[in-house]
Amino acid sequence: MNDGTTLPGAGAGADPDLLYSEDEDALRAAVRSLLADRSDPATVLAGLESDVAYDTGLWHSLATEIGTAGLLVPEKLGGAGASAREAAVVLEETGRSVAPVPYLASAVIAVTALLGCDHGRAEVAAPLAALAEGRTVGVLAVPLPTAPGGLPEPASVRADANGALTGRVTSVADAAAAELLLVPAQGPDGPALYAVEASADGVRTDTVTPLDLTRPLGHLTFDGAPGRLLATGDRARATLDRALLTGAGLLASEQLGVAEWCLAETVRHTVERTQFGRPVGSFQALKHRMAALWLEVASARAAARNAADALATGSPDAPVAVAVAQAYCAPVAVRAAQECVQLHGGIGMTWEHPAHLFLKRAKSDELALGSPGRHRDALAGLVGIAAP
């Protein structure tokens, strides 16, 4: 386990490890069992027809009872002391079930943001421990499409000398579920990061109807909201960029889970569905489509695992690995979901069949934390390939 002071393999130039360890397989089994029991398609669909932002009971079981909320937090700070590899496994499974839980927003992005701040300060240590234990849901208050290195300058929120925040942030993922908001702002001394209680006076959350109903969006408005300063200047910039980089890298694992479910469900359906006295999956044209999709999903698994391993080991190539993973995995997830809908025929277009949940999650994820085109541009800059 990593204690948070060093990163194993950092700068060592070690080859990436794309295989799953025994501990990761055990974690997967526990998470998959929980989600199969509590987040099956019928349950997810029923929940979408209510006004509940997310499944609080499922989140409690996933975050607290299994302990996934603290995977990225060192043991000395109240977490499990695991790494991005283990968090990636959880996201594969939440993607496979389109689970309506704020895992990516809270246990990955918000936790990583707090880890970049000074742990010795109570303003940082207390909320970090609360997030690690699953007692609090935290959200980084940036628009969902914000890519690593893509935060606007100056920020859309300003803070005065007393830490009172004023401004607006649109399209924040899981804002309605948040109890703690981590808000990038333009402070008196430049860029800064503040912690704000979502229930505080001067904070308003306006929910909007998103494409992906399993990941609700909200617009945040701050009108003199009291904020606690977490980081300023270069440290705030580096903290935010690392949080977004980690989020984008591990989002690829969620996209992998979406694609895997779509492929498996499509194969199952075409084996069982018959036409002209034979399974439709035996038709050569469909075999070709599913074989091509299998190759893409296998490649997406390699890209996602490489990004997770690079983040876990602190590899200097992590930005490259993340850009590759997002540029590749996002379109694969969309294509897998589209094939799932089309190859199910008429039933694939109905509300009752869960295929639309995966298509909407894939399309939403394609825009989240930077579009594939944005990551391809970033990759070109990172590896020194000039635009034509």
Side-chain angles (χ1 to χ4, degrees):
M1 294 293 185
N2 177 22
D3 65 0
T5 58
T6 61
L7 290 169
D15 292 334
D17 181 5
L18 306 186
L19 302 178
Y20 298 99
S21 68
E22 291 184 4
D23 288 342
E24 290 163 7
D25 286 338
L27 174 63
R28 180 192 304 281
V31 173
R32 183 175 295 187
S33 176
L34 171 68
L35 295 179
D37 183 52
R38 304 276 294 278
S39 188
D40 62 281
T43 301
V44 174
L45 282 170
L48 297 183
E49 296 172 350
S50 69
D51 295 328
V52 179
Y54 69 107
D55 189 333
T56 54
L58 176 61
W59 172 246
H60 176 76
S61 297
L62 179 67
T64 305
E65 295 176 8
I66 295 182
T68 62
L71 288 176
L72 296 182
V73 181
E75 290 177 309
K76 66 180 181 181
L77 298 176
S83 73
R85 291 174 58 92
E86 288 78 12
V89 169
V90 177
L91 282 164
E92 284 181 35
E93 294 307 312
T94 58
R96 194 189 300 270
S97 66
V98 287
V101 291
Y103 188 81
L104 179 67
S106 184
V108 174
I109 299 176
V111 161
T112 303
L114 285 174
L115 286 172
C117 301
D118 183 1
H119 311 147
R121 300 175 55 209
E123 293 86 349
V124 176
L128 183 57
L131 261 62
E133 296 170 6
R135 293 185 285 110
T136 298
V137 173
V139 167
L140 182 62
V142 298
L144 179 62
T146 306
L151 284 169
E153 290 284 354
S156 61
V157 178
R158 303 190 68 85
D160 63 20
N162 297 318
L165 275 59
T166 302
R168 191 166 188 260
V169 187
T170 59
S171 302
V172 179
D174 292 311
E179 297 157 303
L180 176 69
L181 303 172
L182 305 180
V183 187
Q186 186 69 18
D189 300 318
L193 180 65
Y194 290 83
V196 180
E197 299 298 328
S199 60
D201 292 338
V203 179
R204 188 178 80 243
T205 302
D206 299 314
T207 58
V208 294
T209 302
L211 172 64
D212 176 14
L213 296 175
T214 64
R215 179 166 283 154
L217 302 179
H219 300 328
L220 296 172
T221 302
F222 302 95
D223 185 9
R228 303 186 301 276
L229 183 63
L230 300 176
T232 59
D234 290 342
R235 183 161 194 170
R237 289 192 189 93
T239 292
L240 293 169
D241 193 57
R242 182 67 183 182
L244 293 171
L245 182 72
T246 302
L250 296 187
L251 176 63
S253 292
E254 178 177 287
Q255 291 162 334
L256 171 62
V258 169
E260 287 182 331
W261 184 93
C262 291
L263 175 59
E265 174 61 19
T266 302
V267 170
R268 183 202 63 77
H269 175 75
T270 56
V271 167
E272 296 178 357
R273 177 78 167 91
T274 60
Q275 193 173 40
F276 307 117
R278 56 188 287 195
V280 297
S282 66
F283 299 154
Q284 190 174 40
L286 299 193
K287 284 182 178 180
H288 287 173
R289 289 172 68 169
M290 288 184 283
L293 185 58
W294 183 90
L295 290 173
E296 292 183 346
V297 172
S299 297
R301 183 180 301 109
R305 290 298 294 168
N306 183 49
D309 186 72
L311 291 167
T313 60
S315 169
D317 292 330
V320 172
V322 170
V324 168
Q326 270 305 303
Y328 189 81
C329 293
V332 168
V334 172
R335 194 151 44 247
Q338 289 172 337
E339 290 286 76
C340 183
V341 171
Q342 290 181 15
L343 295 183
H344 273 76
I347 192 175
M349 301 297 295
T350 64
W351 173 266
E352 288 76 14
H353 194 280
H356 68 92
L357 296 176
F358 292 85
L359 178 58
K360 292 169 183 174
R361 173 65 69 90
K363 291 296 290 183
S364 174
D365 281 358
E366 188 178 33
L367 300 177
L369 300 170
S371 66
R374 169 67 173 75
H375 286 285
R376 283 193 292 270
D377 288 344
L379 178 61
L382 289 166
V383 299
I385 299 177

